[in-house]
Amino acid sequence: MTDVAQAAPEKVHEEKEADHHPYFRPKDAATLILVDRSGHIPKVLVGKRHDKVVFMPGKFVFPGGRVDKADYRVPCAAPITPELQANLFKGSPKTEASRAKSLAVAAIREACEETGLCLGRRHERKAPKLDGPWKPFADAGPLPDPSGLFLIARAITPPGRVKRFDTRFFTADASAITHRVEGVVHADAELVELVWVELGSQPLADLHPMTRNVLNELDKRLATGPLRHDAPVPFFHFYGGKMQKDVLS
């Protein structure tokens, strides 16, 4: 999971800029929020972190993490849509086409690696040899499929932090899950439990403040009907000693 900037919902949250660490350039990262819309109230998938991990022990989180160098090279069952790519191009620092693909693919990899739930589909061509975190796809046969992802928000950790991330928050429908790796979530794993919870329910109240902000954005978009790529995408970043919420353009 990534440690991104904090902001209070629906308003700019003032936060003093830390100066006890040197400036670190943010690392690209991606988070995936899986949504089940089969019921009256949409549900999102969260995982409970182990009590002994350093970052957010015992908290409910969404799968996510840094982009890996191999993410761009992994073949996909389908490309990211032009509309998603256009959204990823927006904002500053600018994102190149290769990086846009890597961000979307990283979200899928992290979800599969941390929850065992994989978004992919089989392809006519022979599946390539994949190893490391991509081995579950190679073993099962499907290739990652980022064509169903939507960008919900972008956030950059404030300066002065030991770890800084430029995180893109993606969402996808639960129907995009095509394979499950057994044994990933257990009592000694990073995530000890997976739970589908309704938006606005109590388990989500204890989430990281930035994640709650993103969920608010997701909730508003789901309330308007099917997700669309042409909806405004908020960008949370730190400027002039204060948290800013802009719209990517």
Side-chain angles (χ1 to χ4, degrees), residues 109-172:
R109 173 180 54 77
E110 288 286 340
C112 186
E113 190 175 2
E114 295 182 5
T115 70
L117 302 178
C118 306
L119 279 64
R121 56 187 173 89
R122 296 184 181 277
H123 198 274
E124 293 179 356
R125 67 174 180 266
K126 182 179 179 181
K129 182 179 179 180
L130 303 175
D131 53 19
W134 289 106
K135 192 174 185 301
F137 282 88
D139 293 343
L143 294 176
D145 182 4
S147 63
L149 298 186
F150 291 82
L151 183 65
I152 298 300
R154 178 179 181 179
I156 296 182
T157 312
R161 302 292 177 85
V162 177
K163 294 182 179 181
R164 299 190 69 214
F165 296 98
D166 185 352
T167 304
R168 281 69 161 189
F169 292 85
F170 296 92
T171 190

Side-chain angles (χ1 to χ4, degrees), residues 23-230:
Y23 177 84
F24 289 101
R25 182 177 180 179
K27 303 292 185 181
D28 279 329
T31 293
L32 181 61
I33 303 175
L34 292 168
V35 183
D36 179 0
R37 301 188 68 181
S38 60
H40 179 65
I41 301 177
K43 295 180 179 180
V44 292
L45 182 70
V46 293
K48 187 176 182 181
R49 288 175 64 80
H50 198 287
D51 289 335
K52 295 184 179 180
V53 296
V54 176
F55 182 56
M56 295 198 295
K59 300 290 187 180
F60 283 102
V61 298
F62 296 102
R66 286 179 54 178
V67 172
D68 188 86
K69 291 181 179 179
D71 290 335
Y72 173 69
R73 299 193 298 269
V74 171
C76 295
I80 64 175
T81 63
E83 295 83 4
L84 175 58
Q85 185 180 65
N87 279 337
L88 289 169
F89 284 170
K90 295 176 181 178
S92 180
K94 295 296 182 182
T95 303
E96 298 179 352
S98 60
R99 207 57 173 170
K101 176 197 173 183
S102 297
L103 287 161
V105 170
I108 293 175
R109 173 180 54 77
E110 288 286 340
C112 186
E113 190 175 2
E114 295 182 5
T115 70
L117 302 178
C118 306
L119 279 64
R121 56 187 173 89
R122 296 184 181 277
H123 198 274
E124 293 179 356
R125 67 174 180 266
K126 182 179 179 181
K129 182 179 179 180
L130 303 175
D131 53 19
W134 289 106
K135 192 174 185 301
F137 282 88
D139 293 343
L143 294 176
D145 182 4
S147 63
L149 298 186
F150 291 82
L151 183 65
I152 298 300
R154 178 179 181 179
I156 296 182
T157 312
R161 302 292 177 85
V162 177
K163 294 182 179 181
R164 299 190 69 214
F165 296 98
D166 185 352
T167 304
R168 281 69 161 189
F169 292 85
F170 296 92
T171 190
D173 193 84
S175 61
I177 301 169
T178 57
H179 178 66
R180 179 165 190 155
V181 181
E182 300 297 335
V184 173
V185 178
H186 54 81
D188 296 319
E190 180 178 345
L191 296 183
V192 299
E193 181 184 6
L194 291 180
V195 185
W196 288 96
V197 294
E198 293 181 346
L199 284 173
S201 61
Q202 184 58 36
L204 301 181
D206 197 31
L207 291 176
H208 190 285
M210 183 66 247
T211 308
R212 291 204 304 271
N213 284 347
V214 176
L215 279 183
N216 286 339
E217 299 294 334
L218 176 60
D219 195 11
K220 288 188 294 186
R221 288 179 60 171
L222 290 174
T224 65
L227 291 171
R228 308 189 325 272
H229 290 291
D230 60 351

